[in-house]
Amino acid sequence: MRGTIIVSKKGVKLKSPVMIEGLPGIGLVGKLATEHLIKELKAEKVAEVYSEHFPHQVLMLKKGTLRMLKNKFYAWKNPKKGGHDLLMLVGDVQAITPEAQFEVCNSILDYFGKMNGERIYTLGGYGVGKIVEDPRVLGSATHKEVVEELKKYGVVFGEANGSIIGAAGLLLGLGKIRRMNGACLMGETHGGYIDAKSAKSVLNVLTKILGISVDLNKLDQRVKETEKFMRRMEKEVEKQKGLGEGALKGDELSYIR
Amino acid sequence: MRGTIIVSKKGVKLKSPVMIEGLPGIGLVGKLATEHLIKELKAEKVAEVYSEHFPHQVLMLKKGTLRMLKNKFYAWKNPKKGGHDLLMLVGDVQAITPEAQFEVCNSILDYFGKMNGERIYTLGGYGVGKIVEDPRVLGSATHKEVVEELKKYGVVFGEANGSIIGAAGLLLGLGKIRRMNGACLMGETHGGYIDAKSAKSVLNVLTKILGISVDLNKLDQRVKETEKFMRRMEKEVEKQKGLGEGALKGDELSYIR
Amino acid sequence: MRGTIIVSKKGVKLKSPVMIEGLPGIGLVGKLATEHLIKELKAEKVAEVYSEHFPHQVLMLKKGTLRMLKNKFYAWKNPKKGGHDLLMLVGDVQAITPEAQFEVCNSILDYFGKMNGERIYTLGGYGVGKIVEDPRVLGSATHKEVVEELKKYGVVFGEANGSIIGAAGLLLGLGKIRRMNGACLMGETHGGYIDAKSAKSVLNVLTKILGISVDLNKLDQRVKETEKFMRRMEKEVEKQKGLGEGALKGDELSYIR
Amino acid sequence: MRGTIIVSKKGVKLKSPVMIEGLPGIGLVGKLATEHLIKELKAEKVAEVYSEHFPHQVLMLKKGTLRMLKNKFYAWKNPKKGGHDLLMLVGDVQAITPEAQFEVCNSILDYFGKMNGERIYTLGGYGVGKIVEDPRVLGSATHKEVVEELKKYGVVFGEANGSIIGAAGLLLGLGKIRRMNGACLMGETHGGYIDAKSAKSVLNVLTKILGISVDLNKLDQRVKETEKFMRRMEKEVEKQKGLGEGALKGDELSYIR
């Protein structure tokens, strides 16, 4: 492999699929929401995304095996006639530099484009720096038509300001150039902790938009395992940084700990 | 898209066009001047420049939509017989690393070359660290012949020293290798604030060189909106930096704020 | 040369080779073990790996000549009928960034793949921060089948946690995508010094797995020369860093010392 | 242009040319020596080297024109029958990262290879941290044969230790892979200032090796202009760094000063 590769199951065919992105981001709102959706819908893993832009390390698992850092696509076939299938993107990490983010996002859109997908929802948190009792879902869309469409489901447009950094923004920006469309749905959140309540708000709105029904009760249970995993990821990625900065110097020899 | 792409309107044809560059730089002199020129001439947007070297983020707009960071080309058809058309370049950002600047500037020159353009004026400020009552316009050109030609319009050559960093310099340096020619026109400026007076000086000289006439009265009004936009850009790009340096660590999870 | 190149002897043919990786890492356990194996088996150097991702410097040798930084492949023909040949990888440095590590590791796997190799053992240390009297060998494998197979030789699986950074991890992770398999064998070690005892433990287990016999007595003697060489490498690579950060500034002019 | 390009005069033909490299390095010994050689031999400029890896800025000259940063090749035709022609490399800067250095050096060797060149001398200083009354010339060569050959001219081999960073080392290391050969000739020098005496020592030995005669008297005069130019280069390159680190933030708007 060079660059970014997507290893896909053969023969995956989706019906006018909608992409849901939930990579790690603020309050892990998007990650929590998308992973919950995947589990509740019993979606099937259909592809893995590997990139030379992800950290050059493998994770050691409890069962004695190891695995590379990656992103993953899960597919769900909509049983409703005329309904959209779903293609859900989750993963360990996002690429860090602009060039890397552009490459990975373009590879993801290539894959989604081959599936004839057009509509993209990227999920995330919108940090407000304080605890929010009843988090609203703010939105920012690729086109005015999408704004009008989603307002009906209670998404608040025109209030979020600033920029959306990373895949949640770039998939939409790059998608628009490819004549795709969609919106970023952001649950209000404190920003300093993993926020299941915000993820619920986002899923509440998203499932209405998608016209599907999902039990949100178990979402709270996922918070702990997610937190634990992400703490570990942070720690491991930090180690690599330390190594990168002073490679070959005394303690950096410790590339396996 | 990979690398840098220029999405152009179809069928744009220009008559021996002259390129005017006004990307963000010292005192925002070049940006102010070029944007004013575009508005007063009612120039038409003919192309957008996207690059994997620009920050990986999208801007959220008040109307509820989002857009990628980009540079833009505006064209103006010169009604005078035998007069040069104008191709004006403005934008949110410049690329940061040498490799990125070279790629973006080369893409821009490719586009300009296809339009059969040869003459380039890059506009900027020349920081002197103090308030200048009556800012002169300093110049640095690709060829001696251009020096002689522009001296007649009051451009002061041989006084500016040091180097010109970024697109304002590289477009001329790379252009010269392609047998293009031109000059960087720099209005004297304090350097610490956005300087409409310096932009006026530059436009005064430039319009004489181009043999066109433009009302400069509204230029002052543009200062405030430009300042506001650039403060926001700075803030957003800073956020990304913070993220890049310590990605995945606690507060960096906040890639959407 | 561009990218990474492997300059190989012509006509090298190996019988179902097993790759052993021992590039610099924690406690230099993998390096010590692999170099000892190479010397005891009188293995033959069959290829050199050069990369634009290694530091841009050459080493001056006592005899008056200089040489580039590189990795090297040594081959050993197994005299046993049906036995696996060995392809051993050692070297001065590892690449530092993710993109560089991916490229170098992929080039290495290309070479190993052309030799029809499938099984990979990467050797390293597992830092525990204290002196270990009788270091165990911890493992992490690409597949469950490899876990079961290696447990029989005393490799402890499921205990090492965290991640494996660099070639020791990536060769296995990337190898798995290519349908190769193998394990990282890590000797417990303090982490703060070069550890011959840990290297012995690793070789003890590895030679049993490989079904070969190697005298481990001289391993201790190799510690001093290895330490001396690595101290020098660290110093030289540090100089380059200093240079890179402030190139052209006063003291950075000192790129030859 | 993309990557690195060499713009050469047409029809340049050299007779078994020897390359002399004198890019900026410790004590500017190599630069001083090579530039002096060029001037005394009245060598002709035959090519310019531009690279996307050089700083993205242009220098403003006193005469009102600007120019890109570059390296330059000068050629000298040896009037002696059977004598080697010379191809001398000097320039404003060296590339900074490993990948950039590899690319530029490979481009330079491509050019030299097309001229059927085989022998390379890279010139530099060897910092000893104190004033040297009568600087010796230390050497490090690609092959033992070259060591033996050059010893006869008083070059001291086997004493310099450590590594040679940058083009002075890489041209030889990469050249060796291409079956070229040569040596780095290093004049002992303090390291903290520009050293004409050390450059004289190097030229004394080099001209003997080449069998040519050059007046060394004017070398001292070149020290001042070289020092002035390099101080300016340092200052300009530093500015760009400041810009790169915090682009778009207040004072970084000052990309033209």
Side-chain angles (χ1 to χ4, degrees):
Chain A
M1 63 165 287
R2 298 287 186 275
T4 298
I5 58 163
I6 298 186
V7 181
S8 176
K9 281 188 65 167
K10 280 187 189 161
V12 177
K13 287 203 177 168
L14 298 177
K15 207 170 38 184
S16 55
V18 166
M19 180 156 79
I20 317 288
E21 177 269 342
L23 293 170
I26 190 169
L28 292 181
V29 172
K31 186 177 167 73
L32 267 178
T34 311
E35 289 185 346
H36 184 74
L37 198 60
I38 287 167
K39 282 177 189 163
E40 290 298 317
L41 292 175
K42 298 192 173 69
E44 182 199 12
K45 187 166 73 172
V46 292
E48 298 191 328
V49 184
Y50 299 100
S51 176
E52 64 177 22
H53 304 297
F54 292 163
H56 52 285
Q57 53 184 242
V58 298
L59 290 178
M60 294 189 274
L61 308 178
K62 289 245 160 124
K63 57 187 169 182
T65 53
L66 49 82
R67 71 166 183 80
M68 289 190 65
L69 300 185
K70 63 190 168 191
N71 292 348
K72 292 174 289 183
F73 277 112
Y74 285 83
W76 176 73
K77 303 269 191 178
N78 195 330
K80 259 193 226 162
K81 202 179 161 182
H84 292 283
D85 288 347
L86 298 183
L87 189 64
M88 289 162 282
L89 176 69
V90 289
D92 305 312
V93 286
Q94 293 201 25
I96 290 173
T97 65
E99 289 82 0
Q101 278 276 8
F102 271 77
E103 186 190 286
V104 174
C105 285
N106 270 309
S107 297
I108 285 166
L109 291 173
D110 286 347
Y111 183 76
F112 183 52
K114 270 182 215 157
M115 298 286 174
N116 299 312
E118 281 180 8
R119 172 60 59 98
I120 301 164
Y121 295 111
T122 64
L123 311 185
Y126 186 80
V128 294
K130 59 178 183 187
I131 294 172
V132 187
E133 269 313 299
D134 193 13
R136 296 175 304 162
V137 175
L138 309 184
S140 189
T142 51
H143 300 80
K144 283 182 211 168
E145 294 75 11
V146 180
V147 172
E148 295 313 314
E149 182 190 335
L150 298 184
K151 269 183 179 168
K152 298 172 199 159
Y153 297 96
V155 182
V156 179
F157 283 92
E159 199 170 308
N161 60 56
S163 65
I164 307 171
I165 303 179
L170 217 51
L171 287 172
L172 294 168
L174 289 170
K176 192 178 174 181
I177 298 178
R178 296 166 179 245
R179 307 200 175 282
M180 295 169 174
N181 60 73
C184 182
L185 304 178
M186 296 162 277
E188 290 180 308
T189 185
H190 180 284
Y193 57 87
I194 299 186
D195 189 349
K197 201 188 269 179
S198 180
K200 271 186 196 173
S201 290
V202 170
L203 273 185
N204 244 324
V205 166
L206 179 67
T207 50
K208 276 181 209 153
I209 295 171
L210 298 173
I212 62 176
S213 168
V214 166
D215 182 357
L216 299 182
N217 287 324
K218 291 186 204 145
L219 207 151
D220 301 283
Q221 299 168 25
R222 304 207 194 286
V223 170
K224 276 213 173 151
E225 56 183 296
T226 302
E227 183 152 27
K228 202 173 144 196
F229 178 77
M230 289 310 293
R231 291 275 167 251
R232 184 178 158 195
M233 280 301 302
E234 289 167 23
K235 219 176 87 186
E236 296 304 323
V237 171
E238 274 315 291
K239 269 185 212 165
Q240 180 173 316
K241 273 174 210 298
L243 183 75
E245 279 160 19
L248 282 173
K249 262 183 67 185
D251 49 74
E252 291 103 3
L253 287 171
S254 51
Y255 74 105
I256 303 169
R257 274 174 223 253
Chain B
M1 64 164 289
R2 297 287 186 275
T4 297
I5 57 162
I6 298 186
V7 181
S8 178
K9 279 188 67 166
K10 279 185 189 164
V12 178
K13 286 202 176 168
L14 298 176
K15 209 171 38 186
S16 55
V18 166
M19 182 156 79
I20 316 288
E21 177 270 341
L23 293 170
I26 190 170
L28 292 181
V29 172
K31 185 176 167 72
L32 267 178
T34 311
E35 288 184 348
H36 185 73
L37 198 60
I38 286 168
K39 281 176 190 163
E40 290 298 317
L41 293 175
K42 298 192 173 69
E44 183 198 10
K45 188 166 74 173
V46 292
E48 299 191 327
V49 184
Y50 300 101
S51 176
E52 65 177 20
H53 304 297
F54 293 163
H56 51 286
Q57 52 186 244
V58 297
L59 289 178
M60 293 189 274
L61 309 177
K62 287 244 160 125
K63 57 187 170 183
T65 53
L66 50 81
R67 71 165 183 79
M68 290 190 64
L69 300 184
K70 64 190 168 193
N71 292 348
K72 292 174 290 183
F73 277 112
Y74 285 83
W76 176 72
K77 302 269 191 178
N78 194 330
K80 258 193 224 161
K81 204 179 159 182
H84 292 284
D85 288 347
L86 298 183
L87 189 64
M88 288 162 282
L89 176 68
V90 290
D92 304 312
V93 286
Q94 293 201 24
I96 290 172
T97 64
E99 289 82 0
Q101 278 275 8
F102 271 77
E103 187 191 285
V104 174
C105 286
N106 270 310
S107 297
I108 285 166
L109 291 172
D110 286 347
Y111 183 76
F112 183 52
K114 271 183 213 156
M115 299 284 175
N116 299 311
E118 282 181 6
R119 172 60 60 98
I120 300 164
Y121 296 112
T122 64
L123 312 185
Y126 186 80
V128 294
K130 60 178 182 187
I131 294 172
V132 187
E133 270 312 301
D134 195 12
R136 296 175 304 163
V137 175
L138 309 184
S140 191
T142 51
H143 299 81
K144 283 182 211 168
E145 294 76 10
V146 181
V147 173
E148 294 313 314
E149 182 190 336
L150 298 184
K151 268 183 180 168
K152 298 171 197 158
Y153 298 96
V155 181
V156 180
F157 283 92
E159 200 169 308
N161 60 55
S163 65
I164 307 171
I165 303 178
L170 217 52
L171 286 172
L172 294 167
L174 289 170
K176 191 177 175 180
I177 298 177
R178 295 166 179 245
R179 306 198 177 282
M180 294 169 176
N181 60 73
C184 182
L185 304 178
M186 295 162 277
E188 289 180 310
T189 186
H190 179 284
Y193 57 88
I194 301 187
D195 190 348
K197 201 187 267 178
S198 180
K200 271 186 195 173
S201 290
V202 170
L203 272 185
N204 243 325
V205 165
L206 180 67
T207 49
K208 276 182 207 153
I209 295 171
L210 297 173
I212 62 176
S213 169
V214 166
D215 182 358
L216 300 182
N217 287 322
K218 292 185 204 146
L219 207 151
D220 301 283
Q221 299 168 24
R222 302 205 198 288
V223 170
K224 277 215 171 152
E225 55 183 296
T226 302
E227 183 151 27
K228 203 174 144 194
F229 177 78
M230 289 310 293
R231 291 275 167 251
R232 185 179 157 193
M233 279 302 301
E234 290 168 23
K235 220 177 87 186
E236 296 303 324
V237 171
E238 273 314 291
K239 270 185 209 164
Q240 180 174 316
K241 275 176 208 297
L243 183 77
E245 278 161 18
L248 282 175
K249 260 181 68 184
D251 51 74
E252 290 104 2
L253 287 171
S254 53
Y255 72 106
I256 302 170
R257 273 175 224 254
Chain C
M1 64 164 287
R2 298 285 186 277
T4 299
I5 58 163
I6 298 185
V7 181
S8 176
K9 281 187 66 166
K10 280 186 188 162
V12 177
K13 287 205 176 167
L14 298 176
K15 207 172 38 187
S16 56
V18 166
M19 181 156 80
I20 317 288
E21 178 270 342
L23 293 170
I26 190 169
L28 292 182
V29 171
K31 185 177 168 73
L32 267 178
T34 310
E35 290 184 347
H36 185 75
L37 197 61
I38 286 167
K39 282 177 189 162
E40 290 298 317
L41 292 175
K42 298 191 174 67
E44 181 199 12
K45 188 167 73 172
V46 292
E48 298 191 327
V49 184
Y50 299 100
S51 176
E52 64 177 22
H53 304 297
F54 292 163
H56 51 287
Q57 53 186 243
V58 297
L59 289 179
M60 294 189 275
L61 308 178
K62 288 244 161 124
K63 58 187 170 182
T65 54
L66 51 80
R67 72 167 183 81
M68 290 190 64
L69 300 184
K70 63 191 168 192
N71 292 348
K72 293 174 289 184
F73 277 112
Y74 285 83
W76 176 72
K77 303 268 191 179
N78 194 331
K80 257 193 226 162
K81 204 180 158 182
H84 293 284
D85 288 348
L86 298 183
L87 188 65
M88 289 161 281
L89 176 69
V90 290
D92 305 311
V93 286
Q94 293 201 25
I96 290 172
T97 65
E99 289 82 0
Q101 278 275 8
F102 272 77
E103 186 190 285
V104 174
C105 286
N106 270 309
S107 297
I108 286 166
L109 291 173
D110 286 347
Y111 183 76
F112 184 52
K114 269 183 216 156
M115 299 284 175
N116 299 312
E118 281 181 6
R119 172 60 59 98
I120 301 164
Y121 295 111
T122 63
L123 311 186
Y126 186 80
V128 295
K130 59 178 184 187
I131 293 171
V132 188
E133 270 312 301
D134 194 12
R136 297 175 303 162
V137 176
L138 309 185
S140 189
T142 52
H143 300 80
K144 283 183 212 167
E145 293 75 10
V146 181
V147 172
E148 294 313 314
E149 181 190 336
L150 298 184
K151 269 184 180 167
K152 297 172 199 158
Y153 298 95
V155 182
V156 180
F157 283 92
E159 197 170 308
N161 60 54
S163 64
I164 308 171
I165 303 179
L170 217 52
L171 287 172
L172 293 167
L174 289 170
K176 191 176 175 183
I177 298 178
R178 296 166 179 244
R179 306 198 177 283
M180 294 168 174
N181 61 73
C184 182
L185 304 178
M186 296 162 276
E188 289 181 309
T189 185
H190 179 283
Y193 57 87
I194 300 187
D195 190 349
K197 201 187 267 177
S198 180
K200 272 186 196 173
S201 291
V202 170
L203 273 185
N204 243 325
V205 165
L206 179 67
T207 50
K208 274 182 210 153
I209 295 171
L210 297 172
I212 62 177
S213 169
V214 166
D215 182 357
L216 300 182
N217 287 324
K218 291 185 205 147
L219 207 151
D220 301 282
Q221 300 168 24
R222 303 206 196 287
V223 170
K224 276 214 172 150
E225 56 183 295
T226 301
E227 183 151 27
K228 202 175 145 195
F229 177 78
M230 289 311 292
R231 290 275 167 249
R232 185 179 157 194
M233 279 302 301
E234 289 168 23
K235 219 177 87 186
E236 296 303 324
V237 171
E238 273 315 290
K239 271 186 210 165
Q240 179 173 317
K241 273 174 209 299
L243 184 76
E245 277 161 18
L248 283 174
K249 261 182 68 186
D251 50 73
E252 291 104 0
L253 288 171
S254 52
Y255 72 107
I256 303 169
R257 274 174 222 255
Chain D
M1 65 165 286
R2 299 285 186 276
T4 298
I5 58 163
I6 298 186
V7 181
S8 178
K9 280 187 67 165
K10 279 185 189 164
V12 178
K13 286 204 176 167
L14 298 176
K15 209 172 37 188
S16 56
V18 166
M19 181 156 80
I20 316 288
E21 178 269 341
L23 292 170
I26 190 170
L28 292 180
V29 171
K31 186 177 167 71
L32 267 178
T34 310
E35 289 185 348
H36 184 75
L37 198 59
I38 287 169
K39 282 176 189 164
E40 290 298 316
L41 292 175
K42 298 193 173 67
E44 183 198 12
K45 187 167 74 172
V46 292
E48 298 191 327
V49 184
Y50 300 101
S51 175
E52 65 176 21
H53 303 297
F54 293 163
H56 51 287
Q57 54 186 241
V58 297
L59 289 179
M60 294 189 274
L61 309 177
K62 288 244 160 126
K63 57 186 171 183
T65 53
L66 51 80
R67 72 167 184 77
M68 290 190 65
L69 300 185
K70 62 190 168 194
N71 292 347
K72 292 174 291 184
F73 277 113
Y74 285 82
W76 177 73
K77 302 269 190 179
N78 194 332
K80 258 193 224 161
K81 204 179 158 181
H84 292 284
D85 288 347
L86 297 183
L87 189 63
M88 289 162 282
L89 176 69
V90 290
D92 305 312
V93 286
Q94 294 201 24
I96 290 173
T97 64
E99 289 81 0
Q101 278 276 7
F102 272 76
E103 187 191 283
V104 174
C105 285
N106 270 310
S107 297
I108 285 166
L109 292 173
D110 286 347
Y111 183 77
F112 183 53
K114 270 184 214 154
M115 299 284 175
N116 299 312
E118 281 180 7
R119 171 61 58 99
I120 301 164
Y121 296 112
T122 64
L123 311 186
Y126 186 80
V128 295
K130 60 178 181 187
I131 293 171
V132 187
E133 270 314 300
D134 194 12
R136 296 176 303 162
V137 176
L138 309 185
S140 190
T142 51
H143 300 81
K144 283 182 211 167
E145 294 76 11
V146 181
V147 172
E148 294 312 315
E149 182 190 335
L150 299 183
K151 269 184 181 168
K152 298 171 198 158
Y153 298 95
V155 182
V156 179
F157 284 92
E159 198 169 310
N161 60 56
S163 64
I164 308 172
I165 303 178
L170 217 52
L171 286 171
L172 294 167
L174 288 170
K176 191 177 177 182
I177 298 177
R178 295 166 180 244
R179 306 199 176 283
M180 294 169 175
N181 60 73
C184 183
L185 304 179
M186 295 162 277
E188 288 180 310
T189 186
H190 179 284
Y193 58 88
I194 301 188
D195 190 348
K197 201 188 267 177
S198 180
K200 273 186 195 173
S201 290
V202 170
L203 273 185
N204 243 326
V205 164
L206 179 67
T207 50
K208 275 183 208 150
I209 295 171
L210 297 172
I212 62 177
S213 168
V214 166
D215 182 357
L216 299 182
N217 288 323
K218 291 185 204 146
L219 207 152
D220 302 281
Q221 299 167 27
R222 303 207 196 285
V223 170
K224 276 213 171 151
E225 55 182 297
T226 301
E227 183 151 27
K228 203 174 143 194
F229 177 78
M230 289 310 294
R231 290 276 166 250
R232 186 179 155 192
M233 279 301 302
E234 288 167 24
K235 219 177 87 185
E236 297 303 324
V237 171
E238 273 314 291
K239 270 185 210 165
Q240 180 173 316
K241 275 175 209 299
L243 184 77
E245 278 160 19
L248 282 175
K249 260 182 69 185
D251 50 72
E252 291 103 1
L253 288 171
S254 52
Y255 72 107
I256 302 170
R257 274 174 224 252

